[in-house]
Each structure stands twice: as structure tokens, then as C-alpha cells.
């Protein structure tokens, strides 16, 4: 069975500081991993995804994530936070190589301090 | 393109009332999904439709029914609403083809309160 754990329900950083949102997964098959962002009162938007190949994945808005199999992690980073990055971020894993279902983590709310 | 649209945006029901949440996509996607989002629990899959004419249960299907009306539309029905169904409901769609390229696109959500 697949599962996702996001460490920290709320993260607060200063504008210009490094953003690090943590995600660990459990999967009995090779995982397909995703990060989604949700801005207030909006639906989810795909930030980036890992399927196969390069373990460092670049996404939109300057975000990137690194798949580390040995640590079962897929942490999301951005070198310099911007006020517009304030949102909720969800890590997710596809439930099986041929399934269309995705298992979402509980989310991490990112706040940016001026 | 409008992408994924949902109606209504907000709804308040009394316990026992019924209602249908509507979802439509204009991206010619094969697969459609209904999720509910509750604080601290992320999104949980209620039902999904891998292709027109098929529907399958997700993680939390109890108390809900769905209809894949055609390729564009996928509705979610609450026959007898309960306070535990107070949530934000999201519809999503994807091509359903090619595990490496399939991406789900989400609608703006319906905020439902059951009193």
C-alpha cells in the first residue's frame, strides 16, 4: 500500500529565505511522486512530478524536488521565498504503476514573513 | 479554455436533504475524479471514472453516488446529507493515458456545509 507523510502542517519563512517542505512516502512499487500547490479558495495545481529518470525534478515558480530512494523522501525546495509562494502544498504518490488513483498527504501551509 | 468547472461554488444543506454537485471539463479527458478535502487530512478520493461509462469507488465512497453523464460531465450526488459530509469537494480530470504523462487538473471546488 502507498502512503505519504508530510512533516509539519505549517511552515513559516522570511521572504528571500530558503523554503524546505518535507515529504516521505511509502510504496510497495516504484513510486510516482507529485507536489501540488493550492492557493486560497482555489483548486490544486501541479507544481512538479517525478516518474522515472533524473532524481532532481524542476517545477514551476522556481520550485524543485529531489527523489531519494534510500531515504524514501521527496522534499520540495525553493532557494528564495517570495510573498506569492504563500499557499498550501500537498505531496502525493500514485497508488500503483497502472492505477489512476493518487494518495495525498495532509498538506503543509507555507507562510511568508515580510 | 475553461478547464474544469464546478457548480455550485457554495451550498448549505440541512441534514437529510439531497443535492447533486456538477462537474464538467472541456479538455477531452478520459478520466474524472471526485475528492473531498477536510482540514488536516489532505484530499481523499470519493469516486473516479477511468473512462466514459465506467465508475469505481475510491477511499471514502459511503454516502455518495456518481454519474458519468458523458465524456465531459461527472456528477456527485448526496442522497441524504449528513453533517459529516461538510467539506470542500473537488473535481479533477486527466487524460488517463500514459502513466508518465498523466496529470490531474482540478476544478475550483464546492464548499458544502450540512447543518
Amino acid at each position: 500500500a502507498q502512503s505519504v507523510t508530510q512533516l509539519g502542517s505549517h511552515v513559516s519563512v522570511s521572504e528571500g529565505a530558503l523554503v524546505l517542505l518535507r515529504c516521505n512516502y511509502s510504496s510497495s512499487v516504484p513510486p510516482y511522486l507529485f507536489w501540488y500547490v493550492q492557493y486560497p479558495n482555489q483548486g490544486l495545481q501541479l507544481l512538479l512530478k517525478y516518474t522515472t529518470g533524473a532524481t532532481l525534478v524542476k517545477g514551476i515558480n522556481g520550485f524543485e524536488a529531489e527523489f531519494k530512494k534510500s531515504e524514501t523522501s521527496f522534499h520540495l525546495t525553493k532557494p528564495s521565498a517570495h510573498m506569492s509562494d504563500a499557499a498550501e502544498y500537498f505531496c502525493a504518490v500514485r497508488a500503483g504503476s497502472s492505477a489512476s488513483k493518487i494518495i495525498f498527504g495532509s498538506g503543509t501551509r507555507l507562510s511568508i514573513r515580510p | 479554455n475553461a478547464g474544469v468547472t464546478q457548480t455550485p461554488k457554495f451550498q448549505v444543506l440541512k441534514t437529510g436533504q439531497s443535492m447533486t454537485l456538477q462537474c464538467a471539463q472541456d479538455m477531452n479527458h478520459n478520466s474524472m475524479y471526485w475528492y473531498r478535502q477536510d482540514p488536516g487530512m489532505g484530499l481523499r478520493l470519493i469516486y473516479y471514472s477511468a473512462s466514459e461509462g465506467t465508475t469505481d469507488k475510491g477511499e471514502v465512497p459511503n454516502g455518495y453516488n456518481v454519474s458519468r453523464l458523458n465524456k465531459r460531465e461527472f456528477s456527485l450526488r448526496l442522497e441524504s446529507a449528513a453533517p459529516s459530509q461538510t467539506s470542500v469537494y473537488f473535481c479533477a480530470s486527466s487524460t488517463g493515458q500514459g502513466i508518465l504523462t498523466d496529470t490531474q487538473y482540478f476544478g475550483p471546488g464546492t464548499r458544502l456545509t450540512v447543518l
Side-chain angles (χ1 to χ4, degrees), chain A residues 57-102:
Chain A
V57 182
K58 295 186 184 300
I60 61 173
N61 301 339
F63 284 93
E64 62 183 34
E66 187 171 10
F67 169 61
K68 292 187 176 180
K69 185 178 179 180
S70 61
E71 298 178 9
T72 62
S73 69
F74 191 55
H75 301 331
L76 181 71
T77 60
K78 182 174 180 178
S80 177
H82 191 272
M83 295 300 291
S84 61
D85 294 327
E88 187 142 20
Y89 293 80
F90 293 92
C91 184
V93 61
R94 187 180 295 280
S97 61
S98 60
S100 54
K101 293 182 283 187
I102 295 177

Tab-separated table of all heavy atoms in Angstrom, chain A residues 57-102:
chain	number	residue	atom	x	y	z
A	57	VAL	N	13.978	17.079	-9.823
A	57	VAL	CA	12.904	17.497	-10.713
A	57	VAL	C	12.635	18.988	-10.525
A	57	VAL	O	12.487	19.454	-9.394
A	57	VAL	CB	11.616	16.708	-10.417
A	57	VAL	CG1	10.513	17.121	-11.377
A	57	VAL	CG2	11.865	15.216	-10.505
A	58	LYS	N	12.587	19.703	-11.610
A	58	LYS	CA	12.297	21.136	-11.537
A	58	LYS	C	10.847	21.382	-11.915
A	58	LYS	O	10.305	20.740	-12.835
A	58	LYS	CB	13.223	21.911	-12.466
A	58	LYS	CG	14.689	21.829	-12.048
A	58	LYS	CD	15.568	22.720	-12.887
A	58	LYS	CE	17.041	22.563	-12.533
A	58	LYS	NZ	17.307	22.902	-11.114
A	59	GLY	N	10.223	22.303	-11.190
A	59	GLY	CA	8.829	22.609	-11.462
A	59	GLY	C	8.619	24.078	-11.754
A	59	GLY	O	9.551	24.800	-12.063
A	60	ILE	N	7.371	24.479	-11.620
A	60	ILE	CA	7.038	25.873	-11.899
A	60	ILE	C	7.368	26.758	-10.707
A	60	ILE	O	7.584	26.259	-9.598
A	60	ILE	CB	5.544	26.024	-12.262
A	60	ILE	CG1	4.665	25.573	-11.091
A	60	ILE	CG2	5.218	25.235	-13.517
A	60	ILE	CD1	3.187	25.855	-11.298
A	61	ASN	N	7.458	28.054	-10.963
A	61	ASN	CA	7.665	29.055	-9.909
A	61	ASN	C	8.973	28.874	-9.139
A	61	ASN	O	9.074	29.304	-7.992
A	61	ASN	CB	6.497	29.051	-8.915
A	61	ASN	CG	5.172	29.348	-9.598
A	61	ASN	OD1	5.137	29.915	-10.685
A	61	ASN	ND2	4.086	28.950	-8.976
A	62	GLY	N	9.981	28.233	-9.749
A	62	GLY	CA	11.284	28.105	-9.119
A	62	GLY	C	11.416	26.973	-8.115
A	62	GLY	O	12.444	26.858	-7.435
A	63	PHE	N	10.412	26.156	-7.975
A	63	PHE	CA	10.464	25.022	-7.048
A	63	PHE	C	11.155	23.822	-7.676
A	63	PHE	O	11.117	23.629	-8.888
A	63	PHE	CB	9.053	24.624	-6.615
A	63	PHE	CG	8.450	25.547	-5.604
A	63	PHE	CD1	7.657	26.609	-5.996
A	63	PHE	CD2	8.673	25.344	-4.250
A	63	PHE	CE1	7.105	27.472	-5.060
A	63	PHE	CE2	8.120	26.196	-3.304
A	63	PHE	CZ	7.340	27.263	-3.716
A	64	GLU	N	11.771	23.021	-6.848
A	64	GLU	CA	12.322	21.755	-7.280
A	64	GLU	C	12.227	20.742	-6.158
A	64	GLU	O	12.043	21.109	-4.990
A	64	GLU	CB	13.775	21.909	-7.751
A	64	GLU	CG	14.748	22.394	-6.716
A	64	GLU	CD	16.140	22.573	-7.312
A	64	GLU	OE1	16.266	22.943	-8.496
A	64	GLU	OE2	17.108	22.347	-6.562
A	65	ALA	N	12.329	19.469	-6.511
A	65	ALA	CA	12.247	18.401	-5.520
A	65	ALA	C	13.222	17.306	-5.928
A	65	ALA	O	13.463	17.082	-7.113
A	65	ALA	CB	10.835	17.849	-5.409
A	66	GLU	N	13.760	16.627	-4.933
A	66	GLU	CA	14.707	15.559	-5.193
A	66	GLU	C	14.179	14.243	-4.657
A	66	GLU	O	13.824	14.140	-3.472
A	66	GLU	CB	16.067	15.852	-4.570
A	66	GLU	CG	17.131	14.830	-4.973
A	66	GLU	CD	18.516	15.228	-4.550
A	66	GLU	OE1	18.660	16.191	-3.774
A	66	GLU	OE2	19.467	14.559	-5.003
A	67	PHE	N	14.111	13.253	-5.528
A	67	PHE	CA	13.701	11.905	-5.145
A	67	PHE	C	14.915	11.175	-4.573
A	67	PHE	O	15.933	11.019	-5.243
A	67	PHE	CB	13.153	11.162	-6.359
A	67	PHE	CG	12.939	9.693	-6.141
A	67	PHE	CD1	12.050	9.247	-5.168
A	67	PHE	CD2	13.604	8.757	-6.912
A	67	PHE	CE1	11.838	7.894	-4.977
A	67	PHE	CE2	13.393	7.398	-6.730
A	67	PHE	CZ	12.512	6.965	-5.744
A	68	LYS	N	14.787	10.754	-3.316
A	68	LYS	CA	15.859	9.991	-2.669
A	68	LYS	C	15.286	8.659	-2.233
A	68	LYS	O	14.616	8.558	-1.192
A	68	LYS	CB	16.431	10.758	-1.478
A	68	LYS	CG	17.201	12.012	-1.863
A	68	LYS	CD	17.897	12.631	-0.664
A	68	LYS	CE	18.742	13.830	-1.096
A	68	LYS	NZ	19.443	14.465	0.055
A	69	LYS	N	15.593	7.628	-3.011
A	69	LYS	CA	15.033	6.309	-2.750
A	69	LYS	C	15.489	5.770	-1.408
A	69	LYS	O	14.707	5.176	-0.662
A	69	LYS	CB	15.430	5.352	-3.876
A	69	LYS	CG	14.807	3.974	-3.769
A	69	LYS	CD	15.212	3.110	-4.945
A	69	LYS	CE	14.610	1.720	-4.845
A	69	LYS	NZ	15.006	0.866	-6.007
A	70	SER	N	16.763	5.976	-1.079
A	70	SER	CA	17.313	5.416	0.156
A	70	SER	C	16.656	6.026	1.390
A	70	SER	O	16.588	5.390	2.443
A	70	SER	CB	18.816	5.641	0.214
A	70	SER	OG	19.105	7.036	0.195
A	71	GLU	N	16.174	7.261	1.251
A	71	GLU	CA	15.529	7.941	2.376
A	71	GLU	C	14.013	7.955	2.228
A	71	GLU	O	13.328	8.504	3.095
A	71	GLU	CB	16.042	9.375	2.465
A	71	GLU	CG	17.547	9.468	2.716
A	71	GLU	CD	18.050	10.896	2.743
A	71	GLU	OE1	17.226	11.838	2.732
A	71	GLU	OE2	19.278	11.081	2.762
A	72	THR	N	13.496	7.365	1.181
A	72	THR	CA	12.057	7.411	0.828
A	72	THR	C	11.514	8.823	1.010
A	72	THR	O	10.481	9.048	1.653
A	72	THR	CB	11.229	6.394	1.649
A	72	THR	OG1	11.323	6.702	3.053
A	72	THR	CG2	11.696	4.980	1.400
A	73	SER	N	12.232	9.781	0.421
A	73	SER	CA	11.828	11.177	0.582
A	73	SER	C	11.688	11.868	-0.765
A	73	SER	O	12.265	11.447	-1.768
A	73	SER	CB	12.842	11.935	1.443
A	73	SER	OG	14.070	12.083	0.750
A	74	PHE	N	10.922	12.940	-0.755
A	74	PHE	CA	10.700	13.755	-1.950
A	74	PHE	C	10.443	15.183	-1.454
A	74	PHE	O	9.368	15.742	-1.593
A	74	PHE	CB	9.515	13.208	-2.735
A	74	PHE	CG	9.345	13.801	-4.115
A	74	PHE	CD1	10.376	13.769	-5.042
A	74	PHE	CD2	8.132	14.371	-4.506
A	74	PHE	CE1	10.226	14.293	-6.316
A	74	PHE	CE2	7.958	14.899	-5.786
A	74	PHE	CZ	9.006	14.863	-6.687
A	75	HIS	N	11.455	15.786	-0.877
A	75	HIS	CA	11.322	17.118	-0.272
A	75	HIS	C	11.288	18.212	-1.345
A	75	HIS	O	12.001	18.147	-2.344
A	75	HIS	CB	12.473	17.402	0.685
A	75	HIS	CG	12.580	16.407	1.810
A	75	HIS	ND1	11.501	15.736	2.321
A	75	HIS	CD2	13.674	15.983	2.510
A	75	HIS	CE1	11.900	14.931	3.298
A	75	HIS	NE2	13.208	15.067	3.432
A	76	LEU	N	10.491	19.232	-1.078
A	76	LEU	CA	10.314	20.359	-2.006
A	76	LEU	C	11.132	21.543	-1.514
A	76	LEU	O	11.098	21.869	-0.320
A	76	LEU	CB	8.839	20.742	-2.061
A	76	LEU	CG	8.442	21.884	-3.002
A	76	LEU	CD1	8.564	21.432	-4.459
A	76	LEU	CD2	7.020	22.349	-2.720
A	77	THR	N	11.872	22.176	-2.417
A	77	THR	CA	12.698	23.323	-2.029
A	77	THR	C	12.551	24.460	-3.023
A	77	THR	O	12.165	24.265	-4.179
A	77	THR	CB	14.186	22.942	-1.935
A	77	THR	OG1	14.619	22.477	-3.213
A	77	THR	CG2	14.425	21.873	-0.890
A	78	LYS	N	12.850	25.652	-2.517
A	78	LYS	CA	12.966	26.841	-3.350
A	78	LYS	C	14.014	27.715	-2.697
A	78	LYS	O	13.947	27.970	-1.494
A	78	LYS	CB	11.628	27.576	-3.462
A	78	LYS	CG	11.701	28.805	-4.363
A	78	LYS	CD	10.334	29.428	-4.580
A	78	LYS	CE	10.454	30.651	-5.490
A	78	LYS	NZ	9.132	31.270	-5.785
A	79	PRO	N	15.018	28.176	-3.444
A	79	PRO	CA	16.137	28.894	-2.832
A	79	PRO	C	15.734	30.198	-2.140
A	79	PRO	O	16.290	30.545	-1.108
A	79	PRO	CB	17.056	29.172	-4.028
A	79	PRO	CG	16.672	28.188	-5.060
A	79	PRO	CD	15.206	27.945	-4.877
A	80	SER	N	14.765	30.910	-2.700
A	80	SER	CA	14.433	32.220	-2.175
A	80	SER	C	12.913	32.416	-2.199
A	80	SER	O	12.308	32.507	-3.270
A	80	SER	CB	15.111	33.306	-3.015
A	80	SER	OG	14.746	34.594	-2.565
A	81	ALA	N	12.324	32.484	-1.026
A	81	ALA	CA	10.870	32.585	-0.921
A	81	ALA	C	10.364	33.950	-1.351
A	81	ALA	O	10.996	34.990	-1.081
A	81	ALA	CB	10.428	32.311	0.511
A	82	HIS	N	9.191	33.923	-1.979
A	82	HIS	CA	8.516	35.152	-2.380
A	82	HIS	C	7.154	35.184	-1.723
A	82	HIS	O	6.573	34.140	-1.427
A	82	HIS	CB	8.367	35.161	-3.913
A	82	HIS	CG	7.941	36.471	-4.462
A	82	HIS	ND1	6.617	36.841	-4.597
A	82	HIS	CD2	8.664	37.525	-4.918
A	82	HIS	CE1	6.541	38.052	-5.104
A	82	HIS	NE2	7.765	38.491	-5.304
A	83	MET	N	6.660	36.392	-1.500
A	83	MET	CA	5.354	36.518	-0.820
A	83	MET	C	4.273	35.720	-1.535
A	83	MET	O	3.375	35.155	-0.905
A	83	MET	CB	4.939	37.978	-0.717
A	83	MET	CG	5.849	38.846	0.154
A	83	MET	SD	5.932	38.277	1.864
A	83	MET	CE	4.275	38.648	2.414
A	84	SER	N	4.370	35.646	-2.855
A	84	SER	CA	3.351	34.940	-3.633
A	84	SER	C	3.401	33.424	-3.462
A	84	SER	O	2.524	32.715	-3.960
A	84	SER	CB	3.503	35.278	-5.117
A	84	SER	OG	4.768	34.871	-5.584
A	85	ASP	N	4.427	32.919	-2.761
A	85	ASP	CA	4.518	31.469	-2.524
A	85	ASP	C	3.626	31.013	-1.377
A	85	ASP	O	3.489	29.807	-1.137
A	85	ASP	CB	5.965	31.074	-2.213
A	85	ASP	CG	6.887	31.281	-3.391
A	85	ASP	OD1	6.431	31.120	-4.538
A	85	ASP	OD2	8.066	31.617	-3.156
A	86	ALA	N	3.045	31.948	-0.654
A	86	ALA	CA	2.170	31.582	0.462
A	86	ALA	C	0.978	30.794	-0.057
A	86	ALA	O	0.188	31.292	-0.874
A	86	ALA	CB	1.700	32.833	1.192
A	87	ALA	N	0.854	29.556	0.399
A	87	ALA	CA	-0.174	28.647	-0.096
A	87	ALA	C	-0.081	27.357	0.704
A	87	ALA	O	0.740	27.234	1.608
A	87	ALA	CB	0.040	28.347	-1.580
A	88	GLU	N	-0.939	26.401	0.357
A	88	GLU	CA	-0.834	25.069	0.944
A	88	GLU	C	-0.250	24.134	-0.102
A	88	GLU	O	-0.621	24.195	-1.283
A	88	GLU	CB	-2.200	24.558	1.415
A	88	GLU	CG	-2.103	23.247	2.174
A	88	GLU	CD	-3.084	23.188	3.337
A	88	GLU	OE1	-4.058	23.943	3.346
A	88	GLU	OE2	-2.853	22.349	4.249
A	89	TYR	N	0.650	23.278	0.342
A	89	TYR	CA	1.371	22.388	-0.553
A	89	TYR	C	1.090	20.941	-0.167
A	89	TYR	O	1.145	20.569	1.004
A	89	TYR	CB	2.878	22.676	-0.489
A	89	TYR	CG	3.228	24.034	-1.062
A	89	TYR	CD1	3.041	25.187	-0.307
A	89	TYR	CD2	3.710	24.162	-2.357
A	89	TYR	CE1	3.330	26.437	-0.828
A	89	TYR	CE2	4.009	25.410	-2.894
A	89	TYR	CZ	3.813	26.538	-2.117
A	89	TYR	OH	4.094	27.773	-2.645
A	90	PHE	N	0.797	20.144	-1.190
A	90	PHE	CA	0.467	18.744	-0.974
A	90	PHE	C	1.439	17.856	-1.729
A	90	PHE	O	1.657	18.036	-2.922
A	90	PHE	CB	-0.960	18.436	-1.462
A	90	PHE	CG	-2.033	19.107	-0.666
A	90	PHE	CD1	-2.529	20.348	-1.033
A	90	PHE	CD2	-2.556	18.494	0.463
A	90	PHE	CE1	-3.517	20.976	-0.300
A	90	PHE	CE2	-3.549	19.116	1.210
A	90	PHE	CZ	-4.031	20.355	0.829
A	91	CYS	N	1.990	16.895	-1.018
A	91	CYS	CA	2.775	15.841	-1.625
A	91	CYS	C	1.837	14.673	-1.918
A	91	CYS	O	0.872	14.454	-1.159
A	91	CYS	CB	3.875	15.412	-0.654
A	91	CYS	SG	5.014	14.178	-1.283
A	92	ALA	N	2.094	13.947	-2.991
A	92	ALA	CA	1.203	12.855	-3.343
A	92	ALA	C	1.979	11.736	-4.022
A	92	ALA	O	3.034	11.972	-4.628
A	92	ALA	CB	0.086	13.353	-4.263
A	93	VAL	N	1.444	10.531	-3.928
A	93	VAL	CA	2.058	9.373	-4.572
A	93	VAL	C	0.991	8.638	-5.355
A	93	VAL	O	-0.155	8.529	-4.910
A	93	VAL	CB	2.721	8.439	-3.528
A	93	VAL	CG1	1.700	7.896	-2.528
A	93	VAL	CG2	3.460	7.298	-4.204
A	94	ARG	N	1.347	8.179	-6.532
A	94	ARG	CA	0.384	7.412	-7.316
A	94	ARG	C	0.268	6.023	-6.715
A	94	ARG	O	1.279	5.397	-6.398
A	94	ARG	CB	0.813	7.307	-8.775
A	94	ARG	CG	-0.242	6.667	-9.662
A	94	ARG	CD	0.232	6.573	-11.097
A	94	ARG	NE	0.418	7.868	-11.706
A	94	ARG	CZ	-0.566	8.619	-12.190
A	94	ARG	NH1	-1.811	8.195	-12.119
A	94	ARG	NH2	-0.302	9.792	-12.738
A	95	ALA	N	-0.947	5.544	-6.601
A	95	ALA	CA	-1.194	4.248	-5.956
A	95	ALA	C	-1.045	3.132	-6.978
A	95	ALA	O	-2.019	2.587	-7.458
A	95	ALA	CB	-2.586	4.233	-5.339
A	96	GLY	N	0.194	2.781	-7.322
A	96	GLY	CA	0.428	1.683	-8.246
A	96	GLY	C	0.831	2.162	-9.621
A	96	GLY	O	0.483	3.257	-10.027
A	97	SER	N	1.525	1.346	-10.357
A	97	SER	CA	2.089	1.772	-11.643
A	97	SER	C	1.031	1.937	-12.715
A	97	SER	O	1.233	2.657	-13.682
A	97	SER	CB	3.141	0.770	-12.112
A	97	SER	OG	2.541	-0.510	-12.294
A	98	SER	N	-0.096	1.278	-12.570
A	98	SER	CA	-1.116	1.405	-13.609
A	98	SER	C	-2.405	2.024	-13.089
A	98	SER	O	-3.355	2.181	-13.811
A	98	SER	CB	-1.442	0.040	-14.194
A	98	SER	OG	-1.925	-0.808	-13.168
A	99	ALA	N	-2.416	2.413	-11.851
A	99	ALA	CA	-3.634	2.952	-11.270
A	99	ALA	C	-3.766	4.440	-11.558
A	99	ALA	O	-2.778	5.133	-11.733
A	99	ALA	CB	-3.661	2.719	-9.771
A	100	SER	N	-4.992	4.906	-11.619
A	100	SER	CA	-5.217	6.335	-11.824
A	100	SER	C	-5.455	7.057	-10.516
A	100	SER	O	-5.727	8.248	-10.503
A	100	SER	CB	-6.411	6.531	-12.760
A	100	SER	OG	-7.535	5.836	-12.252
A	101	LYS	N	-5.318	6.343	-9.397
A	101	LYS	CA	-5.582	6.968	-8.113
A	101	LYS	C	-4.307	7.539	-7.517
A	101	LYS	O	-3.234	6.982	-7.643
A	101	LYS	CB	-6.201	5.950	-7.159
A	101	LYS	CG	-7.590	5.511	-7.573
A	101	LYS	CD	-8.190	4.545	-6.571
A	101	LYS	CE	-7.618	3.166	-6.702
A	101	LYS	NZ	-8.329	2.201	-5.836
A	102	ILE	N	-4.459	8.673	-6.857
A	102	ILE	CA	-3.350	9.347	-6.193
A	102	ILE	C	-3.662	9.469	-4.712
A	102	ILE	O	-4.780	9.821	-4.342
A	102	ILE	CB	-3.108	10.740	-6.814
A	102	ILE	CG1	-2.646	10.607	-8.263
A	102	ILE	CG2	-2.077	11.520	-6.013
A	102	ILE	CD1	-2.460	11.928	-8.961
